[in-house]
Amino acid sequence: MAPARAMDDSMEGVIGSPLDQRDFFEDLKAYHAERGTNLDVNARVNGKHIDLYTLFGVVNKKGGYDVVSAEKLAWRKVGQDFHLGQTNTAAYAFALKTVYYKNLAQGSYHLMRYFQLTVLRAYEIKRIHNQEPPPREILEDISAKGGDLLTRTLENFRPPQSRDYTGNGNDSDGSGEEDRKTPKEEKMDLDEPGSGGRVTRGLRQAPPQRQLFQPDISSSRQIRHTSSNVHSPQPLTQSTNNAYNYNPSSNPNSGSFSIANYEPRIQVPLTLRPVLTPGNNPAMFREKLKKIKEAQAAKLGKVPPSYKGMMLPGTGFDGPNIYVRTLLALRSGIPGEQDYALHHLVKISHERGDKYKFEAFPGLAEGLIEKALEVGSLFYDVKWVISYSDDLSDYDVNVLDGMNGTHDLLKRISGLRHISLHDEVETEEHNRKLSKINEAGLVIRNMSMLEDNAKYLSDQYPLRDFLTIALNLPRNVAVVELKHYALDIAEQLTKYWSLDASDPLYLSLLAYLNDGLDRGATLTTLRAISRISMNLEDSNRLQGVPLSTIRQLCEWTLLDDEELVAACLDFFYQFTAMSENVAFLLTHTAAGTFSFHPLVSQLGRLLLHNSQESCSKRIVSQPVPVKSATEIPMLPNDLLEQIMKYNEPDRSSHWLRACFEEDPESDITQIALWQAYQARFTRLSSAQNPLLAAAEFIKNVSTTFPTANAQVISGVNPRFIIKGIRPRHVPMDTKGRVYSRCLWRAPENGKACGDFYLKPSDMWEHLITFHVGLSKNEESRWNFLEVKTAGALNGQKFTCHWASCQHFSANGGSDDPYEVGMHIKMHLPDNSAMAAHRAKFNKPGVPDGSSRSVGSGKSDSSSDYVDLHGRPAVYDFFPWYNTAVDERGDAVGLPLTSVLVLKNLTRNIPKALDALEGVSDRFAGATGKKEWMERLLGPIRPRLAFVLAHNHPLATYVSDLITAIENGIEG
C-alpha cells in the first residue's frame, strides 16, 4: 500500500515507511545518544556533502550493508549515485562506506523496525536469537573493512591484525577479496571424500596447515607458545544452522586464517652495553678512586673538608671573554699573565684581524706599545717610560712624550750606553723577554693591516717613538725580526703622518734605506717613505735626502728587479714633484757630483719595459688576379711528341691537361674546344689511332677535370659550354712542369715571340740565336767576339727587347753582345731549388724570376707578366710595442711611472733654474735654461718620438711630455 506522505526516490524500495526526513534524523540522533557514539550529520567525501537519509535509503534499497559489502564493486556503484568523481573511485567508495558504517550501520538495527521490511535482520538478532547489535568496540571503533554486521558478535569476531588493517582503502569497494574482509561464514557444499566432485560454491577444504619459518632475532631465546592445532589442524564440525555461512578465513583453526593474518615478528635491535673502562669513562673511575681514598681517609680519621654549597674559584661564573681576559692580563704587569695574553693575541690578530679593533678595547694599544718598548732595556741601560704630562722639561732621558712625541729621541739614543752581549750568546731570560717583545710587535703589525686600526694607531705618538727606537737598535741578528715588524707598521701608518726633515722617524727611515743590506727591508722602507702624507692635504716634500741615497737609488733602477725598480720610481716621483729637490740635483750636477744622464736615459728605456711586440698590416696595393688567356696555347714540339705516344682517349686527356686548367668561374664553348682538338690532331691521326667522336670527346672533358661539366645556356641562340675550365697561358707537360713563354718583342710590330720552353737554358739559347743573332763556331762556342767586331764596323747596337725592358734604352743599346746576353739571363725563370728561398727577398711589386733595370731603375713588371702570373697584394707592416694596461685600457706599471717622473723633471727644471743663481754658467758651457733643457732632456727626444709612434697606452702622456720639452727648449 502507498505511504501517506510523498517519499524520496531513494526510499522507494522501503515499503510502508512512515518517516519523513526530519523524523529520521531525530530518531537517529536519539539512538546515537543512547548508544554513546558520535553522529556526523555533515559528513563529506571529496568535498561533497553526503545526505545520510539518502545514503540510508540507497543502501537498504540494495539489501543493506552486508549485501552491498558482499557484492564486488557495489560501493563504487553507490558512490556513482552521489557523483563523487571519476578518478580515485576506490578511495571515495571506501570513504562513503565509512560514513555509512560510522553513522548508520549500527542504527539500522533500530531503524529497520520503522520500515517493516520483509527480512529484518536486526529484529531477528534481537528477538529470535536474543542478541543485541554488535558493541561499539567491534563496530564503531574499528575500520569499515569487510561486512557481515548481522553475524558479527563478540564470540565470533576476531579483530584485524596490524598487517592487514592499514586503512588504505584497498578493499573499500567490497571487492570480495576473502583475505581482506571481516571474517564471516559462507555457504559451501562439500563433496564426500573420494567423490571427485567439485565445490559448487566457495573455497575447497583447507589443506593441512604448514608452519611458516620465522627466525628468532631477539637477544635472548624465547619459548614459542603456539597452539597445537596450528601444527595439526583438526577437521571442523559444522552445525546445520551455519553450514551455508562457513568461511575458512574467519576460523582461527584454519590454515587460510593463519596465512591471511600472518604478520612477521618485529625485529628488535640488539641492545649492546659498552664495557666501562678507564679509557672510555675516566670521570667515573676518578670519582670511584676519589671515594675509595675518602673511605680510607675516614678509617684513619682524616676527614677532608666539605665544600658543599660553596662557590669555588672558576665555578659558577664563566668570567670575561678571551678578548677582555687578554687585555686585563696584558695590563696587569704580571709576567705570566702577559705571556698568556701575548700568546693569545698573536693568534687572535692573525685569525680575527679583520674584526679585532683597538677602539673596542681601550688600553690595548697602549699596553702593546709599553711591552714593545721594553726592548730598550735589553740593549741599552735604559727603561723607557711614557709620560702624558704637558711639561716634560725636568724629566729624565728615559721618559717619552706621549702627548706630542719625543723630538730629540735620536739624540737621547746616541747618548745611551750599550749593553755588551759577548759573542752574541743570549741568556735564557734575555731570549724569553725578546721573544715576548717580538710577539707584541707582531700583534701591532697584524692589527695595523686593518685600515681602522691603522688610523687609530696613527694618533699614538708613543708608537712613533717605538718605531724610531726599533730602527736604531744595534746591528744584531736577534732584532732583525722586530725591525721588520717596525718597517711594516711604518708602511701602514706614514700615510697619516706629515714628517719634516727633522723628524726622528723620517731620519731613521732614510738612514735605514742608506744601508741597503736587506732587499725586503729596503722595499718596505721605500714604500714607507713614498707614502708619507698620502692621505693628508700636505705634500710629501722628501727634503734632506742624502746625495748618496739618490745615487744608490739611481743604480737600483738598473737592476732586473721589477719590484725594487717600481719602489725606486715611486720615490723619484715623489722626490721630483718638488722644485727644491730638483734644484738640489741641479746644484750637484753643476758641481760634478751628480749626473742626470744615467737617470734620464734609464727612464727613457723603461718606457718600453715588458712591451709586447705586434704588427698592424695596411694594404698598399690591391692584388691582381691572373687574367684568363684569350686563346688556347700552342704545344711545343717536344710536348707534342710526348702526347702523340698515347692512344685515345688518353691522348685527348693529356692535351686537355697541358692546355687547360680548372677554374670554377670560367667556361669555354664546346664547339671551340672541339675545333681546337681537331686542329691539333687531325693531320696527326691515323686509322689505328683516330680522333674521338664529338660526344665522346665532350664526355672525356668531364672525366679529365672532375669539376668541369657540360651545360646549355638558354636563350634565343642557346650556347653549349663546358663550365669549370679555362685555357692556360703556358702549357704544362705530362709531369706537371710548366713551360715558359718567350716575351721578346719584335722591334717592327711589338709582337711577342710566344714560343715555349721548359728549361731556362733552352730559352736562353733561343733568345741568343733567334733574337740577338749569335751563333756557335766550330768549337761550339758562341761567337760573341766576331759579332761584336762586325757590329762595330757596321755601327750595330745590341739591346734587350724582352717585354718592356728598358735597360739599354738610355744609351741607345750596347756595342757588346756579350753584355746583352748576360743581361738576358736575368729575365729567365728561376727553376732551381733555391727559387722559393730567393723569392722571399724580392721587393714587393717585382715578380719572381724577373729583374730590375740597373741603368734606369725601372722594373720589367709589364702587363704581359702580370697577365701571366698575376700580382699579390702589397702590404705595409707597422710594428707596435704596447706596454701593460689595466682593465680600463690605461697605462700602468714601470712605463707609466717613468713618464710621470720625466714630466716632473720637465716641469720643475725651469723653476729650479729660476731659483738658483749662477748655476747655468757652470754646466758644460750651458748659458741659459734652453741649454740646460737641451743638455738634460734633449738626448731622449728620439726615444720619446719612437714611443709616441709605436705605443698606444703611453701616446697621450708622451705627447704632453714632448710638448713640454719643446716649450722648455724654445723657452
Side-chain angles (χ1 to χ4, degrees), residues 93-110:
F94 182 78
L96 185 64
K97 178 181 178 182
T98 303
V99 171
Y100 189 93
Y101 181 84
K102 297 290 186 182
N103 296 288
L104 299 173
Q106 76 281 11
S108 62
Y109 303 105
H110 176 74

Side-chain angles (χ1 to χ4, degrees), residues 742-818:
C742 178
L743 300 180
W744 191 279
R745 295 181 180 275
E748 300 82 12
N749 53 16
K751 185 177 180 180
C753 173
D755 290 345
F756 299 101
Y757 294 92
L758 187 62
K759 297 180 180 180
S761 58
D762 295 341
M763 174 73 76
W764 187 76
E765 186 173 348
H766 162 75
L767 291 171
I768 293 298
T769 302
F770 291 95
H771 298 300
V772 179
L774 300 180
S775 61
K776 291 184 178 181
N777 53 25
E778 298 178 352
E779 299 177 356
S780 298
R781 293 179 178 273
W782 297 102
N783 55 350
F784 286 108
L785 184 60
E786 292 82 353
V787 174
K788 179 180 180 182
T789 303
L793 296 175
N794 300 329
Q796 183 181 2
K797 294 288 186 180
F798 301 94
T799 186
C800 176
H801 296 285
W802 181 273
S804 58
C805 179
Q806 300 178 6
H807 182 70
F808 299 100
S809 60
N811 300 324
S814 175
D815 297 332
D816 190 358
Y818 179 81

Side-chain angles (χ1 to χ4, degrees), residues 373-445:
L373 285 172
E374 294 180 5
V375 70
S377 60
L378 299 180
F379 299 93
Y380 300 100
D381 59 343
V382 65
K383 182 178 180 181
W384 299 108
V385 179
I386 302 175
S387 176
Y388 293 94
S389 176
D390 293 335
D391 187 11
L392 297 179
S393 58
D394 298 334
Y395 282 82
D396 295 333
V397 176
N398 65 325
V399 179
L400 303 177
D401 188 357
M403 298 294 292
N404 304 306
T406 308
H407 299 289
D408 59 344
L409 185 57
L410 291 178
K411 182 179 179 181
R412 296 186 187 186
I413 294 174
S414 61
L416 297 176
R417 183 178 63 86
H418 292 265
I419 298 177
S420 60
L421 299 175
H422 299 286
D423 297 333
E424 297 186 356
V425 177
E426 302 175 353
T427 63
E428 182 179 359
E429 181 64 19
H430 183 277
N431 181 268
R432 188 192 68 81
K433 290 182 178 179
L434 184 59
S435 176
K436 297 305 172 183
I437 292 171
N438 287 337
E439 288 182 359
L442 177 59
V443 172
I444 299 175
R445 180 259 180 199

